[in-house]
Amino acid sequence: MAKVHDGISGRLREFIEAQPVFFVGTAPLDPDGLVNLSPKGTRGTFRVVDEHTFAYLDITGSGIETVAHLRENGRICVMFCAFEGPPNIVRLHGTGRVLAAGDPGFDDALAGFGEAGTSRRMQSRAVITVHVARVADACGYAVPFMDYREERTLLDRWADDKTPGDLEAYHAKKNAESIDGLPGLVPRA
């Protein structure tokens, strides 16, 4: 059974900040719409802002479900699993907002990620900030042990030879709407 906590603090914060991967769950309001679950990673792209707020970099990908769902209804759940050490699962339920690249305040939000924000500026579509309404952890007894080896470099290499215009064209083609037809990234004029 899950234990509900007052916020993200102490050992929970340490656990969250040590994880190399997390999972983001969102869904549209339409009951026939598709629930989305996305793995996220890359060290330094998730940060706890305070006991009831976290933020992460939304890095370029082929889908835009999380952004579209958040813009429609704001609901989000982020999950962390212990793949080494003591078993644990932490879920953060809340309401998220999207600050897209090019929006006022984006550069300041990106700066909060330090080196990860600087090195992934070209790839970052948005900063997702979530107000956390519920923090809970559970046993995680069925989560397997897995060894973290290293970060993948494929996305960095893919983006290295892109210009800002190339990425804008990619976003316009692949990220304009979700698979359910919800608005995603707004093309820049």
Side-chain angles (χ1 to χ4, degrees), residues 80-128:
F80 297 86
C81 299
F83 294 110
E84 60 185 23
N88 196 17
I89 297 171
V90 174
R91 290 182 182 90
L92 307 174
H93 297 262
T95 305
R97 66 180 173 83
V98 177
L99 188 61
D103 286 351
F106 175 78
D107 289 335
D108 290 337
L110 191 65
F113 292 91
E115 193 280 324
T118 301
S119 66
R120 295 209 163 63
R121 184 176 198 340
M122 282 275 293
Q123 303 155 9
S124 298
R125 300 182 292 195
V127 172
I128 306 296

Side-chain angles (χ1 to χ4, degrees), residues 2 10 15 36 47 59 79 87 89 95 136-137 155 163 172:
F15 170 77
N36 185 63
R47 68 187 197 95
I59 297 178
M79 182 179 75
I89 297 171
T95 305
D137 69 343
L155 181 61
T163 67

